[in-house]
């Protein structure tokens, strides 16, 4: 009966959930179970391909991707980005980011990049790829046409620092091996297969790893803040902004989107650093995004959230043109 409850709640619950369930322990539990068995688009055989510098890009052509709350179609251009082929030719705006910019879980026409392009009239290229840190976003940027650029949008996420730290220290992301990529593809494919008591097992493993083992070891569970865990996240991110500036001297707009929640203080740190800098601007989405702008079970923005981000980007860009 318990497995049936998980099956129903994860596969059909989001249709019946209502906003009052957000921020409850029950929904948090279902979120943890859903995320523990979530396949990753970057290791879906139909959706991604190996890249010796970046480990992977998206796979050119058409494909589909789904999980508990969504079933979407993808149109990928020859560079491996979720956008049309003709958008590669002299875009006026390039959006760098990870799965939030790519549009995880939403249809292509509902991503904030596509909505921004329609509202602003500015030819835009979505260069967001799932799980890319700022280092890989920078390396991808170097592959793109910059001759007509008027705007670069860089989306930061709390998962970026480890990759950024490694690149700054080594000036490379290391040698990427295709067998490692293929191993991840194989592991990812196993996540998609259902077997009896799959969700009970996932819930039990979460309990063991997060509660039972720490209690047996008498470890004090302490959740360190993002700033405590990555004290140098800002200067490391700024390193890449400054390197992008060497290739492009137009407007740069920096923003931050967090999973399930987008706090204000992270972007404030960047804003304080760049005070007085020419043509580097900030958009604090922590003042805009609410829990209802995310999926129930998945930690990404839903269509409503993408519309909010697009509206804020359009407003901010219009303000830049007036200055």
């Amino acid at each position: 009966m318990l497995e049936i409850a998980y099956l129903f709640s994860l596969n059909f619950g989001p249709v019946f959930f209502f906003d009052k369930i957000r921020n409850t322990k029950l929904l948090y539990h279902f979120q943890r179970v859903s995320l523990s068995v979530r396949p990753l688009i970057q290791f879906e055989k139909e959706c991604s391909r190996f890249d010796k510098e970046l480990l992977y890009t998206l796979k050119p052509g058409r494909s589909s991707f789904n999980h508990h709350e969504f079933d979407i179609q993808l149109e990928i251009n020859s560079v491996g980005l979720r956008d049309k082929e003709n958008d590669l030719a002299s875009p006026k705006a390039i959006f760098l980011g990870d799965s939030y910019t790519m549009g995880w879980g939403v249809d292509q026409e509902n991503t904030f990049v596509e909505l921004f392009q329609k509202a602003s009239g500015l030819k835009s290229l979505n260069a967001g790829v799932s799980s890319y840190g700022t280092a890989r976003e920078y390396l991808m940027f170097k592959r793109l046409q910059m001759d007509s650029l008027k705007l670069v949008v860089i989306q930061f996420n709390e998962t970026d620092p480890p990759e950024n730290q490694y690149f700054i220290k080594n000036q490379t992301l290391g040698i990427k091996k295709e067998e490692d990529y293929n191993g991840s593809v194989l592991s990812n494919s196993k996540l998609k297969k259902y077997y009896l008591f799959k969700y009970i097992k996932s819930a039990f493993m979460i309990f063991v790893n997060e509660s039972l083992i720490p209690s047996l070891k008498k470890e004090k569970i302490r959740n360190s803040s993002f700033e405590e865990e990555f004290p140098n996240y800002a200067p490391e991110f700024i390193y890449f902004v400054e390197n992008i500036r060497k290739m492009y001297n137009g407007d740069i707009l920096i923003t931050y989107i967090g999973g399930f929640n987008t706090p204000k203080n992270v972007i404030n740190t960047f804003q304080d650093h760049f005070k007085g800098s020419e043509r580097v601007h900030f958009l604090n989405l922590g003042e805009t995004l609410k829990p209802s702008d995310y999926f129930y079970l998945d930690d990404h923005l839903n269509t409503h959230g993408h519309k909010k981000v697009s509206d804020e980007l359009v407003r901010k860009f219009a303000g830049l043109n007036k200055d």
Side-chain angles (χ1 to χ4, degrees):
M1 287 298 292
L2 183 56
E3 182 71 5
I4 292 173
Y6 278 120
L7 278 166
F8 179 84
S9 298
L10 296 176
N11 290 286
F12 303 104
V15 177
F16 303 101
F17 287 160
F18 46 90
D19 275 349
K20 284 188 178 180
I21 199 175
R22 294 185 186 275
N23 298 321
T24 63
K25 290 183 179 180
L26 178 62
L27 183 61
Y28 177 73
H29 176 72
F30 284 136
Q31 287 169 348
R32 296 290 292 113
V33 173
S34 179
L35 293 175
S36 72
V37 297
R38 178 179 66 179
L40 301 175
I41 194 171
Q42 61 265 33
F43 296 124
E44 287 277 286
K45 188 176 180 180
E46 297 77 16
C47 302
S48 67
R49 64 180 179 183
F50 172 72
D51 186 280
K52 63 182 180 181
E53 181 183 38
L54 305 171
L55 184 58
Y56 55 81
T57 70
L58 298 177
K59 188 174 184 177
R62 293 181 180 273
S63 57
S64 61
F65 181 58
N66 63 77
H67 194 41
H68 292 137
E69 290 178 274
F70 57 82
D71 188 351
I72 60 171
Q73 301 300 308
L74 305 167
E75 180 182 348
I76 310 302
N77 58 38
S78 59
V79 174
L81 300 173
R82 192 186 185 191
D83 218 330
K84 300 179 181 65
E85 190 67 23
N86 61 9
D87 286 325
L88 290 170
S90 303
K92 295 189 181 300
I94 291 178
F95 288 73
L96 302 173
D98 54 21
S99 51
Y100 292 90
T101 296
M102 181 192 71
W104 178 288
V106 302
D107 291 325
Q108 205 133 328
E109 64 270 19
N110 291 326
T111 65
F112 63 74
V113 178
E114 188 68 23
L115 295 172
F116 174 87
Q117 178 172 253
K118 290 177 181 176
S120 67
L122 205 66
K123 184 178 182 180
S124 302
L125 175 63
N126 188 339
V129 179
S130 181
S131 197
Y132 274 20
T134 322
R136 279 187 286 180
E137 293 160 16
Y138 161 68
L139 294 173
M140 175 60 78
F141 181 71
K142 293 171 69 175
R143 300 182 182 188
L144 306 174
Q145 289 186 17
M146 310 174 200
D147 56 296
S148 300
L149 270 182
K150 293 184 176 180
L151 178 67
V152 172
V153 179
I154 310 174
Q155 173 245 317
F156 181 79
N157 183 265
E158 65 266 16
T159 59
D160 291 356
E163 176 181 305
N164 295 351
Q165 290 171 1
Y166 186 93
F167 184 90
I168 291 171
K169 181 180 179 180
N170 300 284
Q171 291 302 296
T172 178
L173 291 172
I175 299 172
K176 304 302 180 186
K177 297 180 180 179
E178 191 163 5
E179 52 263 40
D180 294 334
Y181 166 79
N182 290 336
S184 295
V185 170
L186 179 61
S187 298
N188 189 71
S189 68
K190 294 177 181 178
L191 287 173
K192 301 180 70 175
K193 294 178 181 177
Y194 180 76
Y195 52 85
L196 192 60
F197 303 127
K198 175 180 180 177
Y199 297 122
I200 290 178
K201 177 185 175 183
S202 296
F204 178 71
M205 293 309 298
I206 291 169
F207 167 72
V208 168
N209 292 324
E210 297 183 4
S211 299
L212 183 60
I213 291 177
S215 68
L216 290 175
K217 290 183 176 180
K218 297 183 179 180
E219 293 176 348
K220 215 171 195 180
I221 298 174
R222 180 180 179 274
N223 295 318
S224 58
S225 69
F226 172 71
E227 289 88 346
E228 289 174 325
E229 191 172 358
F230 302 107
N232 296 316
Y233 75 91
E236 290 160 357
F237 175 81
I238 290 160
Y239 169 89
F240 294 102
V241 176
E242 291 173 345
N243 275 274
I244 288 172
R245 170 61 76 216
K246 293 174 184 177
M247 298 181 283
Y248 160 75
N249 60 9
D251 287 311
I252 295 176
L253 179 55
I254 298 169
T255 191
Y256 166 62
I257 301 175
F260 287 128
N261 179 44
T262 300
K264 302 175 185 179
N265 57 320
V266 173
I267 198 68
N268 287 342
T269 303
F270 299 142
Q271 191 162 351
D272 292 341
H273 178 88
F274 279 110
K275 269 182 182 173
S277 297
E278 189 176 357
R279 309 194 81 172
V280 179
H281 316 279
F282 303 87
L283 179 59
N284 195 334
L285 294 171
E287 299 172 345
T288 304
L289 293 173
K290 309 299 180 190
S292 58
D293 297 315
Y294 292 82
F295 289 108
Y296 283 103
L297 300 174
D298 197 284
D299 55 351
H300 287 83
L301 297 174
N302 56 27
T303 53
H304 189 261
H306 276 268
K307 180 63 167 61
K308 269 193 176 182
V309 173
S310 171
D311 290 345
E312 290 300 307
L313 287 167
V314 170
R315 179 189 61 78
K316 187 71 174 181
F317 180 67
L320 299 184
N321 288 334
K322 288 179 182 178
D323 292 342

